[in-house]
Amino acid sequence: MHAFDILGDPVRRRILELLADGEQTSGAITEVIRAEFGISQPGVSQHLRVLRENGFTTVRAQGARRLYAVNSEPLREVDRWLARFRGIWEQHLDALATELARGRRERRRRGGTDGAPGDSPAGEERNHR
């Protein structure tokens, strides 16, 4: 299975989010997933199995309990794939940051107004009519 097939399922993404905070028992994971998604314990077990078999989680036995943890290697592969596209949105975010800074400088230059209606004398006239 491709990593995005695994991550495309909201239940599996939520399980990984839970495990990002640290190792958890299958029972604790099941409790949260059942409450949030309303699926059965066998359904949660299936999602855990898919994550485990595809390398996204590790599991270790502690007595009768099974403790799950995130395996970061498949996530690093996803990150490497996304890196090709990261420049696209980073450029846009950089441009947005530049425009926000330009707007702040302009507001300071004008005396602290943010250009919202009612901040300028013309806006005040419109509001009093």
Side-chain angles (χ1 to χ4, degrees), residues 15 22 29 37 59 61 70 76 83 95 108 115 117:
I15 291 170
I29 295 166
F37 292 91
V59 64
V70 170
R76 282 194 288 270
R108 283 193 304 267

Side-chain angles (χ1 to χ4, degrees), residues 1-98:
M1 239 184 205
H2 188 275
F4 287 105
D5 294 328
I6 306 300
L7 298 174
D9 187 280
V11 172
R12 291 192 285 266
R13 284 194 312 269
R14 181 64 177 126
I15 291 170
L16 289 173
E17 288 171 1
L18 293 169
L19 294 174
D21 293 332
E23 193 175 57
Q24 296 205 24
T25 65
S26 57
I29 295 166
T30 298
E31 186 177 315
V32 172
I33 297 301
R34 287 184 72 185
E36 292 181 10
F37 292 91
I39 62 176
S40 67
Q41 184 276 327
V44 176
S45 291
Q46 278 294 107
H47 286 289
L48 286 168
R49 184 175 65 79
V50 168
L51 288 167
R52 186 182 67 250
E53 288 178 356
N54 288 280
F56 282 83
T57 62
T58 60
V59 64
R60 69 179 179 91
Q62 186 180 55
R65 300 179 339 158
R66 298 291 173 257
L67 293 164
Y68 282 82
V70 170
N71 179 14
S72 62
E73 184 53 37
L75 297 173
R76 282 194 288 270
E77 290 175 26
V78 169
D79 186 56
R80 283 190 292 272
W81 187 86
L82 287 171
R84 293 186 279 174
F85 304 98
R86 192 167 288 119
I88 295 168
W89 67 73
E90 285 176 350
Q91 270 183 321
H92 293 296
L93 290 174
D94 289 345
L96 176 60
T98 300

Side-chain angles (χ1 to χ4, degrees), residues 105-127:
R105 282 192 306 270
E106 180 64 24
R107 283 191 300 278
R108 283 193 304 267
R109 189 183 64 73
R110 289 188 313 211
T113 62
D114 65 3
D119 284 348
S120 68
E124 290 175 14
E125 287 178 22
R126 279 194 302 268
N127 291 336

